Structures are given as C-alpha cells and as structure tokens.
DNA sequence: CCAAAAGTGTTATGTGTACACCCATGA
DNA sequence: TCATGGGTGTACACATAACACTTTTGG
C-alpha cells in the first residue's frame, strides 16, 4: 500500500486587506523554487486529519476552512511524486497585515510549482460560494453593517451592487444575519447604520447572483 | 517526502438502470471487509494522473468524470494511513447492467471503509450539479427526447416535473441541446417526439431549480 | 373513435433591477 | 445647511408554476 507518493496540504488563505481581496503567500527558502513565492502548506503528519494539517500548516486558528481540490499530476514536483490536498481558508478583514506576505489577487507574483493554478481555483471557488452560501460573513470581524457585508461582495466579485436591493436580499434570507441593539459609529458623516452579526444559516435560497452572469 | 501514506482513487459511478438512479459496487475479495461491497478503486500507479487512475480503476472508458473530494482520516483503513481521492463518474442509461454490481441508491448494501459516506457525497454532488450544469445529458446515450432528459431529472431528484415548463426551460437555454432532423419512434402510442443531442453549453443560466427547495 | 404523449398558449405569482426619494448624522 | 451614507417605496422586466388546450401518433 506504500507507494512512495508524498501527501501534502496546501492552503489558499484569503482575506480583504484595505479593500483588496488578498492571498497569503510565503517565500520558499529551499530548492526547488528557492526564493519564489508559494501558498502555505506542508506534509501531513502521521495520525493527523487533513483538515488539522491544513490549519497547522497555514497557521489558521479560527476562520473558515474547506477542502478545495486535490492536485496530483506526476510532474508537479521535480523531487518526486507528490499529491497535494488543497484547502481554501478565509479570515476576517484586516486593516494591516499581521505579518508579511499578503498580496492583492490582482498583483500576484509568479508562484512555485502549480500554486498559481491552485490559487486561481481557490479564488474562483470563493467567488462562486458567495453566491449560494453565507460565507461572505467569514470576511467580517465582529459586528458589521450591511454596507460592510456589501463591500465584501463588491471586493471579491469586483462589481458594484445596489445598496437597496442588497439590503432587501440579505434581510429576506432567514438566518443569514441577526440585528444587534447597537448602531455603528459614523466616520465621515451620514446616518449611523444598524449593526448585525452572523446568523445560523449556511446556504442562501435563493442565491445572490453575480451581476456579470 | 515519503511518509508511508498510501494514495488511492475511489470512484462513485452512477447511471440510470430501469428508471432508478444506481451506483456500481464491487465485492471485496480480500481483508479487510472481505465479502463486503465497495466502490471501485485502487492504488494510483507511478507516473499516472489521478484522473487516469480513476478511469482505469473504474473501467470507465467514456462518460463524465470529475473529482469529488479527498478522504484522508487517519483511521479510514485498518491496515494503515490511506488517503483516497474520490471521483464521480456518470454513464448513459442502461436497460440492463453490463455486468453485475448495479444497486439502486435506495437499496444500497452496507459498504466497506467510509465508502458509504463517499457514495452519499457523490449522489448529492450529482443532484446538485443537475441544477446548474448540463450534466443531465451525460446520462443519455445518443439522441434523446426532451421527455428522456426530463426523466433523468425526475429520477435523480425523485420528483415530478411539468413537461411544458421543462421544455421551455431547456429550449430557452442556448447551447444546451441541439435538435436533430429525426423524430423518435413511438412505443405505446402518442405523438413522436423531436430528437436532440448534447449542445456545447456546460453551465445553465439561470439554473434549473429543484422543486423541493 | 379513443388513449397517450408531444407540444403551445395563457395567466397568476414571485424575484431581480433600476432608480426616485426620505431619514439621520457630522461638520 | 449641506454632504454623506442609511434606509424605504415603487415600477418594470423577467422567470416560474399551474393548467387548459391543440397536435400527432398507435390501436
């Protein structure tokens, strides 16, 4: 049953930094691709669940994590056969990176191995899942306004959404968000907005469709 | 990089036998779970793509094949750590099984390892993909009528659909089906139906929604 | 002729979209 | 009071669902 195939996890971690959908990358220290950027990841430990391994290798304590796809081409790694179980993680908005390595997805450097494909697949999965799941709230830390949530959609999809229709859509989905008693403090004038937190709903029915389609 | 983790593919192969959504199972000959039913699969060969391995292990020459999910719990296999890359295959309707091992998904036997979970995930993926993809045509061999295509949806979802609305929906989706010059022969009376073949479209916009939701 | 299935028409109902307009706050 | 963003109302386009109706075949 042992075949000399290595098993790794590689994790596409996305967040929104300063209004830009961004991915976390690390710089490789060893050959091959020494000095190139790559998605965080590493070998799966003995007795370790794949999900656990993904969280450990990505340093992802909280936040959303889901399996993305498995990449197993025989020539992916010049050192030998390596099958990589890729994951997609999402963490709340950051105003500044906690430690280096966040790249806006429009300004990605060349990546090692097939990590460019993995990252592209992860971004597309995130964009698709916003349509039919409540995953957008995973990008929001603590209480948020409907404008905050709308900005998540606008940033990830790269479109502008009508605030009025977005509000109706979100509030008409049972269990998507729950209102708090507080209102947001205003920064630059304007009426203070109602604050919300995540609701128990996981799926959206009907879906929030991307305007481009 | 070699860690003693085995890598396999396991394939959920679905078809429609005699109006029933059915899965192909094989009987295990060796321990563990000798005599139990399991989904077809096996180890990935050296230098072999995962997709190739899935087709080879499932004996799937044509038909649709897509990656489903990877199962890697440390206790999946009592012999040791085995990561299984699961695939979902679909082949056209069969009036009778070509060789044994087709089970209606409502009458499944107990399955070896975690293959019950894998099979359930595969069935749910198939049901979900009918909504937003043209995958239903993968269950149709050669030219088909719109009634044939509707029966695919009805069988996989376990619901009844209105023929008139289904027709309009399918024909209004560009590139989903293409009409042929022929009409079907009638079996038990009734007007002969127009025959169609698959079109180039892969995605459905808007989606074909399950009535249950 | 009748039964059966293909195919068309019609209408009520709901959902997405665009946009006008009012409300509450900071400066 | 004005600018800004939160929040409401409304009209139109379009999709769905239900079902009556016509067409074309076999028996």
């Amino acid at each position: 049953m042992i075949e000399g195939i290595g098993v790794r996890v590689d994790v596409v971690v996305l967040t929104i930094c300063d209004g830009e959908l961004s991915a976390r990358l690390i710089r490789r220290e060893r050959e091959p691709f020494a000095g190139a950027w790559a998605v965080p990841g590493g070998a799966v430990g003995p007795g370790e669940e794949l999900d656990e391994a993904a969280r450990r290798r990505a340093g992802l304590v909280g936040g959303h994590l889901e399996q993305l796809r498995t990449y197993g081409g025989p020539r992916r790694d010049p050192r030998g056969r390596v099958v990589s179980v890729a994951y997609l993680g999402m963490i709340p908005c950051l105003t500044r990176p906690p430690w280096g390595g966040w790249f806006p997805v429009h300004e990605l450097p060349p990546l090692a191995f097939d990590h460019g494909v993995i990252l592209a697949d992860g971004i597309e999965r995130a964009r698709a899942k916003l349509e039919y799941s409540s995953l957008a709230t995973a990008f929001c830390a603590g209480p948020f306004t409907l404008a905050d949530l709308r900005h998540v959609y606008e940033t990830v999809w790269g479109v502008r959404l009508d605030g009025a229709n977005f509000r109706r859509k979100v509030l008409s989905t049972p269990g998507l968000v729950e209102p708090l008693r507080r209102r947001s403090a205003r920064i630059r004038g304007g009426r203070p907005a109602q604050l919300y937190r995540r609701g128990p709903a996981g799926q959206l029915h009907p879906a929030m469709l991307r305007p481009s389609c």
Side-chain angles (χ1 to χ4, degrees), chain A residues 26-161:
Chain A
I26 57 169
R27 194 182 276 278
R28 284 186 59 80
E29 295 176 355
R30 281 172 291 182
E31 291 292 343
F33 297 100
W37 293 94
V39 146
V44 177
E48 189 177 39
E49 291 281 349
L50 296 178
D51 297 25
E52 290 173 22
R55 285 202 180 270
R56 175 173 63 87
R57 292 298 193 173
L60 197 66
V61 179
H64 175 83
L65 182 75
E66 66 179 54
Q67 204 185 98
L68 176 60
R69 186 185 165 78
T70 296
Y71 300 82
R75 309 249 175 281
R76 292 182 62 243
D77 190 320
R79 291 166 295 184
R81 187 73 188 270
V82 178
V83 165
S84 176
V85 184
Y87 277 80
L88 172 63
M90 300 181 193
I91 59 177
C93 311
L94 305 163
T95 47
R96 66 178 62 183
W99 69 95
W102 290 101
F103 287 77
V105 298
H106 295 113
E107 305 166 18
L108 292 173
L111 296 183
F113 307 106
D114 53 359
H115 287 198
V117 175
I118 296 175
L119 186 46
D121 288 350
I123 293 166
E124 178 49 36
R125 167 78 67 91
R127 286 180 171 145
K129 284 207 84 167
L130 287 204
E131 288 198 322
Y132 60 91
S133 79
S134 61
L135 211 55
T137 58
F139 285 115
C140 295
F144 52 86
T145 67
L146 293 185
D148 293 335
L149 190 60
R150 181 163 50 89
H151 292 328
V152 170
Y153 277 90
E154 291 178 332
T155 301
V156 174
W157 285 349
V159 298
R160 300 289 294 173
L161 298 177

